[in-house]
Amino acid sequence: MNEIRIFSPATVANVSCGFDVLGFCLDGIGDEMVVRISKNKGVKISKIEGYDLPIEAHLNVAGVSAQALIDDAKPDVGFEIEIYKKIKPGSGIGSSSASAAGSVVAINELLGRPYNKTQLTYFAMMGEAMASKSYHADNLAPGIFGGFTLVKSVEPLEILELPTPHNLYAVIIHPQIEIKTSEARALLPQKVNLKDATVQWANVGSLVHALHTNDYGLLSRSLNDIIVEPHRSKLIPFFDEIKQQTVKNGALGTGISGSGPSIFSLCEGLESATNIEKTMRDIYKTTGITFETYVSKINEDGIKVI
Ligand SMILES: Nc1ncnc2c1ncn2[C@@H]1O[C@H](COP(=O)(O)OP(=O)(O)O)[C@@H](O)[C@H]1O
Ligand SMILES: N[C@@H](CCOP(=O)(O)O)C(=O)O
């Protein structure tokens, strides 16, 4: 096989309480990439469609993560990457992560799968770190493993795959403004209050338990973030209204997707999700801000060869 085309899905990181550790994978929303073997060693980005992004491999997260894999594998060939970008950069649904993860998964396939998913996440983290200026894998892991994941540790990298409750749906509203992950990280406090930390880690633990036990009530009571959300929500127009109305109308919980501006809700069943999408649209329709909404099942496959 000399060439491969993949679908690299969008992802929701943090899932409210789990800053930098929890994430899940979306269905139907994502980028496509074509990666082919080339006689010229190293990595070249030969085409980018959809958004204006650096074509230089060392400035593009797809190139940086590919180079990290190549430095380790030292193959006798090189790789050419085409990126068909559908996820707007700075969206909060893992735009940079989709490219970073997609390139290493595709190269691994072309090389006959020498690496496991955790090793691939590690290489992808090198690319993701260039965009966000920090080492985090909470978008990469659900993209590569599918479903819900928990990044137990970054160094050494350890990823836990969590179960997806039956009939769980995500709804996303993406206001078309850009929030750079690096900037949304820079405004977070370096120290947290012990009382707040106690509430937050209880929520992470109970959210994980709720996923394992299909307990929608507990899931709903766990979807709270008292540490990061208060700082970042100010950057997202009408965040409080969206949160209030979606929860009132039956969402299990609503929070910032990744570093924003996207907002996500989790819902039990498609009917509830469709209703929550309408709630979100009704609020944003009156604001004059351009937006997109998506209803998505939780994608248990992650990145797929197409
Ligand atoms: N292949 C790529 N896809 C998306 N963003 C990229 C890519 N390569 C480099 N970047 C840079 O990464 C930044 C966007 O990443 P980030 O702020 O993490 O947003 P997101 O939350 O959408 O991933 C932008 O500055 C963009 O230029
Ligand atoms: N944990 C990170 C996740 C960033 O996600 P993105 O989709 O906005 O890149 C953070 O919250 O900074």
Side-chain angles (χ1 to χ4, degrees), residues 176-196:
Q176 306 284 295
I177 54 172
E178 183 178 344
I179 295 182
K180 287 219 161 101
T181 305
S182 55
E183 289 166 14
R185 294 180 78 84
L187 57 81
L188 298 179
Q190 289 307 302
K191 293 191 174 161
V192 299
N193 177 291
L194 183 58
K195 249 186 164 167
D196 292 345

PDB file of all heavy atoms in Angstrom, residues 176-196:
ATOM      1  N   GLN A 176     -18.765  31.055  15.283  1.00  0.00           N
ATOM      2  CA  GLN A 176     -17.638  31.164  14.349  1.00  0.00           C
ATOM      3  C   GLN A 176     -16.687  32.286  14.748  1.00  0.00           C
ATOM      4  O   GLN A 176     -16.453  33.231  13.994  1.00  0.00           O
ATOM      5  CB  GLN A 176     -18.143  31.354  12.920  1.00  0.00           C
ATOM      6  CG  GLN A 176     -19.133  30.277  12.486  1.00  0.00           C
ATOM      7  CD  GLN A 176     -18.476  28.937  12.161  1.00  0.00           C
ATOM      8  OE1 GLN A 176     -17.703  28.846  11.216  1.00  0.00           O
ATOM      9  NE2 GLN A 176     -18.763  27.909  12.937  1.00  0.00           N
ATOM     10  N   ILE A 177     -16.168  32.173  15.964  1.00  0.00           N
ATOM     11  CA  ILE A 177     -15.078  33.060  16.385  1.00  0.00           C
ATOM     12  C   ILE A 177     -13.913  32.138  16.729  1.00  0.00           C
ATOM     13  O   ILE A 177     -14.134  30.957  16.976  1.00  0.00           O
ATOM     14  CB  ILE A 177     -15.462  33.920  17.622  1.00  0.00           C
ATOM     15  CG1 ILE A 177     -15.961  33.030  18.771  1.00  0.00           C
ATOM     16  CG2 ILE A 177     -16.494  34.973  17.272  1.00  0.00           C
ATOM     17  CD1 ILE A 177     -16.182  33.763  20.078  1.00  0.00           C
ATOM     18  N   GLU A 178     -12.681  32.676  16.718  1.00  0.00           N
ATOM     19  CA  GLU A 178     -11.533  31.800  16.998  1.00  0.00           C
ATOM     20  C   GLU A 178     -11.000  32.058  18.401  1.00  0.00           C
ATOM     21  O   GLU A 178     -10.781  33.212  18.779  1.00  0.00           O
ATOM     22  CB  GLU A 178     -10.425  32.050  15.965  1.00  0.00           C
ATOM     23  CG  GLU A 178      -9.240  31.118  16.166  1.00  0.00           C
ATOM     24  CD  GLU A 178      -8.126  31.286  15.133  1.00  0.00           C
ATOM     25  OE1 GLU A 178      -8.375  31.895  14.077  1.00  0.00           O
ATOM     26  OE2 GLU A 178      -7.012  30.810  15.407  1.00  0.00           O
ATOM     27  N   ILE A 179     -10.848  30.988  19.171  1.00  0.00           N
ATOM     28  CA  ILE A 179     -10.147  31.117  20.455  1.00  0.00           C
ATOM     29  C   ILE A 179      -8.955  30.169  20.387  1.00  0.00           C
ATOM     30  O   ILE A 179      -9.128  28.949  20.255  1.00  0.00           O
ATOM     31  CB  ILE A 179     -11.059  30.736  21.651  1.00  0.00           C
ATOM     32  CG1 ILE A 179     -12.218  31.734  21.769  1.00  0.00           C
ATOM     33  CG2 ILE A 179     -10.248  30.708  22.949  1.00  0.00           C
ATOM     34  CD1 ILE A 179     -13.158  31.498  22.945  1.00  0.00           C
ATOM     35  N   LYS A 180      -7.746  30.716  20.441  1.00  0.00           N
ATOM     36  CA  LYS A 180      -6.552  29.867  20.381  1.00  0.00           C
ATOM     37  C   LYS A 180      -6.398  29.137  21.710  1.00  0.00           C
ATOM     38  O   LYS A 180      -6.484  29.753  22.782  1.00  0.00           O
ATOM     39  CB  LYS A 180      -5.315  30.715  20.117  1.00  0.00           C
ATOM     40  CG  LYS A 180      -5.248  31.230  18.705  1.00  0.00           C
ATOM     41  CD  LYS A 180      -3.806  31.185  18.183  1.00  0.00           C
ATOM     42  CE  LYS A 180      -3.783  31.246  16.680  1.00  0.00           C
ATOM     43  NZ  LYS A 180      -3.471  32.559  16.152  1.00  0.00           N
ATOM     44  N   THR A 181      -6.163  27.829  21.624  1.00  0.00           N
ATOM     45  CA  THR A 181      -5.990  27.045  22.851  1.00  0.00           C
ATOM     46  C   THR A 181      -4.872  27.632  23.706  1.00  0.00           C
ATOM     47  O   THR A 181      -5.010  27.728  24.937  1.00  0.00           O
ATOM     48  CB  THR A 181      -5.674  25.571  22.497  1.00  0.00           C
ATOM     49  OG1 THR A 181      -6.714  25.101  21.635  1.00  0.00           O
ATOM     50  CG2 THR A 181      -5.607  24.695  23.723  1.00  0.00           C
ATOM     51  N   SER A 182      -3.773  28.039  23.069  1.00  0.00           N
ATOM     52  CA  SER A 182      -2.640  28.567  23.844  1.00  0.00           C
ATOM     53  C   SER A 182      -3.076  29.790  24.655  1.00  0.00           C
ATOM     54  O   SER A 182      -2.700  29.959  25.812  1.00  0.00           O
ATOM     55  CB  SER A 182      -1.475  28.914  22.921  1.00  0.00           C
ATOM     56  OG  SER A 182      -1.911  29.796  21.915  1.00  0.00           O
ATOM     57  N   GLU A 183      -3.926  30.643  24.054  1.00  0.00           N
ATOM     58  CA  GLU A 183      -4.374  31.856  24.766  1.00  0.00           C
ATOM     59  C   GLU A 183      -5.371  31.503  25.867  1.00  0.00           C
ATOM     60  O   GLU A 183      -5.334  32.075  26.968  1.00  0.00           O
ATOM     61  CB  GLU A 183      -4.959  32.862  23.775  1.00  0.00           C
ATOM     62  CG  GLU A 183      -3.848  33.473  22.905  1.00  0.00           C
ATOM     63  CD  GLU A 183      -4.352  34.220  21.677  1.00  0.00           C
ATOM     64  OE1 GLU A 183      -5.557  34.514  21.596  1.00  0.00           O
ATOM     65  OE2 GLU A 183      -3.506  34.493  20.795  1.00  0.00           O
ATOM     66  N   ALA A 184      -6.264  30.551  25.588  1.00  0.00           N
ATOM     67  CA  ALA A 184      -7.253  30.150  26.603  1.00  0.00           C
ATOM     68  C   ALA A 184      -6.575  29.425  27.772  1.00  0.00           C
ATOM     69  O   ALA A 184      -7.126  29.347  28.863  1.00  0.00           O
ATOM     70  CB  ALA A 184      -8.319  29.264  25.975  1.00  0.00           C
ATOM     71  N   ARG A 185      -5.394  28.881  27.539  1.00  0.00           N
ATOM     72  CA  ARG A 185      -4.646  28.245  28.636  1.00  0.00           C
ATOM     73  C   ARG A 185      -3.917  29.295  29.455  1.00  0.00           C
ATOM     74  O   ARG A 185      -3.810  29.179  30.674  1.00  0.00           O
ATOM     75  CB  ARG A 185      -3.639  27.220  28.098  1.00  0.00           C
ATOM     76  CG  ARG A 185      -4.278  26.024  27.436  1.00  0.00           C
ATOM     77  CD  ARG A 185      -3.246  25.041  26.931  1.00  0.00           C
ATOM     78  NE  ARG A 185      -2.693  24.221  27.997  1.00  0.00           N
ATOM     79  CZ  ARG A 185      -3.247  23.110  28.460  1.00  0.00           C
ATOM     80  NH1 ARG A 185      -4.381  22.678  27.953  1.00  0.00           N
ATOM     81  NH2 ARG A 185      -2.674  22.419  29.421  1.00  0.00           N
ATOM     82  N   ALA A 186      -3.431  30.316  28.739  1.00  0.00           N
ATOM     83  CA  ALA A 186      -2.622  31.337  29.423  1.00  0.00           C
ATOM     84  C   ALA A 186      -3.440  32.083  30.476  1.00  0.00           C
ATOM     85  O   ALA A 186      -2.873  32.604  31.442  1.00  0.00           O
ATOM     86  CB  ALA A 186      -2.035  32.304  28.396  1.00  0.00           C
ATOM     87  N   LEU A 187      -4.771  32.140  30.324  1.00  0.00           N
ATOM     88  CA  LEU A 187      -5.537  32.923  31.296  1.00  0.00           C
ATOM     89  C   LEU A 187      -5.968  32.112  32.521  1.00  0.00           C
ATOM     90  O   LEU A 187      -6.643  32.616  33.409  1.00  0.00           O
ATOM     91  CB  LEU A 187      -6.738  33.616  30.627  1.00  0.00           C
ATOM     92  CG  LEU A 187      -7.781  32.820  29.883  1.00  0.00           C
ATOM     93  CD1 LEU A 187      -8.794  32.205  30.832  1.00  0.00           C
ATOM     94  CD2 LEU A 187      -8.494  33.739  28.911  1.00  0.00           C
ATOM     95  N   LEU A 188      -5.560  30.847  32.582  1.00  0.00           N
ATOM     96  CA  LEU A 188      -5.976  30.021  33.732  1.00  0.00           C
ATOM     97  C   LEU A 188      -5.042  30.232  34.922  1.00  0.00           C
ATOM     98  O   LEU A 188      -3.831  30.415  34.749  1.00  0.00           O
ATOM     99  CB  LEU A 188      -5.980  28.540  33.339  1.00  0.00           C
ATOM    100  CG  LEU A 188      -6.966  28.178  32.226  1.00  0.00           C
ATOM    101  CD1 LEU A 188      -6.879  26.699  31.899  1.00  0.00           C
ATOM    102  CD2 LEU A 188      -8.389  28.561  32.618  1.00  0.00           C
ATOM    103  N   PRO A 189      -5.595  30.180  36.142  1.00  0.00           N
ATOM    104  CA  PRO A 189      -4.733  30.351  37.325  1.00  0.00           C
ATOM    105  C   PRO A 189      -3.818  29.141  37.497  1.00  0.00           C
ATOM    106  O   PRO A 189      -4.185  28.027  37.110  1.00  0.00           O
ATOM    107  CB  PRO A 189      -5.750  30.416  38.476  1.00  0.00           C
ATOM    108  CG  PRO A 189      -6.955  29.717  37.974  1.00  0.00           C
ATOM    109  CD  PRO A 189      -6.993  29.930  36.484  1.00  0.00           C
ATOM    110  N   GLN A 190      -2.645  29.346  38.033  1.00  0.00           N
ATOM    111  CA  GLN A 190      -1.687  28.256  38.234  1.00  0.00           C
ATOM    112  C   GLN A 190      -1.968  27.490  39.530  1.00  0.00           C
ATOM    113  O   GLN A 190      -1.476  26.393  39.746  1.00  0.00           O
ATOM    114  CB  GLN A 190      -0.255  28.795  38.235  1.00  0.00           C
ATOM    115  CG  GLN A 190       0.213  29.258  36.865  1.00  0.00           C
ATOM    116  CD  GLN A 190       0.025  28.193  35.796  1.00  0.00           C
ATOM    117  OE1 GLN A 190       0.556  27.093  35.907  1.00  0.00           O
ATOM    118  NE2 GLN A 190      -0.774  28.499  34.763  1.00  0.00           N
ATOM    119  N   LYS A 191      -2.727  28.130  40.441  1.00  0.00           N
ATOM    120  CA  LYS A 191      -3.028  27.470  41.714  1.00  0.00           C
ATOM    121  C   LYS A 191      -4.521  27.381  41.896  1.00  0.00           C
ATOM    122  O   LYS A 191      -5.255  28.292  41.501  1.00  0.00           O
ATOM    123  CB  LYS A 191      -2.433  28.283  42.875  1.00  0.00           C
ATOM    124  CG  LYS A 191      -0.935  28.256  42.850  1.00  0.00           C
ATOM    125  CD  LYS A 191      -0.318  28.816  44.106  1.00  0.00           C
ATOM    126  CE  LYS A 191       1.193  28.608  44.026  1.00  0.00           C
ATOM    127  NZ  LYS A 191       1.923  29.460  44.928  1.00  0.00           N
ATOM    128  N   VAL A 192      -4.997  26.291  42.510  1.00  0.00           N
ATOM    129  CA  VAL A 192      -6.431  26.188  42.780  1.00  0.00           C
ATOM    130  C   VAL A 192      -6.654  25.960  44.267  1.00  0.00           C
ATOM    131  O   VAL A 192      -5.810  25.408  44.977  1.00  0.00           O
ATOM    132  CB  VAL A 192      -7.125  25.064  41.958  1.00  0.00           C
ATOM    133  CG1 VAL A 192      -7.012  25.299  40.478  1.00  0.00           C
ATOM    134  CG2 VAL A 192      -6.583  23.698  42.322  1.00  0.00           C
ATOM    135  N   ASN A 193      -7.827  26.380  44.688  1.00  0.00           N
ATOM    136  CA  ASN A 193      -8.245  26.260  46.058  1.00  0.00           C
ATOM    137  C   ASN A 193      -8.544  24.785  46.393  1.00  0.00           C
ATOM    138  O   ASN A 193      -9.167  24.085  45.600  1.00  0.00           O
ATOM    139  CB  ASN A 193      -9.518  27.139  46.092  1.00  0.00           C
ATOM    140  CG  ASN A 193     -10.197  27.135  47.394  1.00  0.00           C
ATOM    141  OD1 ASN A 193     -10.763  26.122  47.783  1.00  0.00           O
ATOM    142  ND2 ASN A 193     -10.152  28.269  48.053  1.00  0.00           N
ATOM    143  N   LEU A 194      -8.113  24.333  47.563  1.00  0.00           N
ATOM    144  CA  LEU A 194      -8.273  22.916  47.924  1.00  0.00           C
ATOM    145  C   LEU A 194      -9.740  22.486  47.948  1.00  0.00           C
ATOM    146  O   LEU A 194     -10.093  21.393  47.493  1.00  0.00           O
ATOM    147  CB  LEU A 194      -7.621  22.653  49.289  1.00  0.00           C
ATOM    148  CG  LEU A 194      -7.650  21.198  49.763  1.00  0.00           C
ATOM    149  CD1 LEU A 194      -6.959  20.260  48.780  1.00  0.00           C
ATOM    150  CD2 LEU A 194      -7.019  21.075  51.142  1.00  0.00           C
ATOM    151  N   LYS A 195     -10.605  23.373  48.453  1.00  0.00           N
ATOM    152  CA  LYS A 195     -12.043  23.048  48.496  1.00  0.00           C
ATOM    153  C   LYS A 195     -12.592  22.816  47.085  1.00  0.00           C
ATOM    154  O   LYS A 195     -13.360  21.891  46.840  1.00  0.00           O
ATOM    155  CB  LYS A 195     -12.795  24.233  49.112  1.00  0.00           C
ATOM    156  CG  LYS A 195     -13.371  23.957  50.480  1.00  0.00           C
ATOM    157  CD  LYS A 195     -14.183  25.159  50.876  1.00  0.00           C
ATOM    158  CE  LYS A 195     -15.102  24.890  52.022  1.00  0.00           C
ATOM    159  NZ  LYS A 195     -15.620  26.169  52.540  1.00  0.00           N
ATOM    160  N   ASP A 196     -12.190  23.705  46.152  1.00  0.00           N
ATOM    161  CA  ASP A 196     -12.635  23.564  44.756  1.00  0.00           C
ATOM    162  C   ASP A 196     -12.067  22.283  44.148  1.00  0.00           C
ATOM    163  O   ASP A 196     -12.765  21.559  43.422  1.00  0.00           O
ATOM    164  CB  ASP A 196     -12.171  24.749  43.899  1.00  0.00           C
ATOM    165  CG  ASP A 196     -12.880  26.038  44.289  1.00  0.00           C
ATOM    166  OD1 ASP A 196     -13.899  25.957  45.002  1.00  0.00           O
ATOM    167  OD2 ASP A 196     -12.402  27.118  43.885  1.00  0.00           O
TER     168      ASP A 196
END
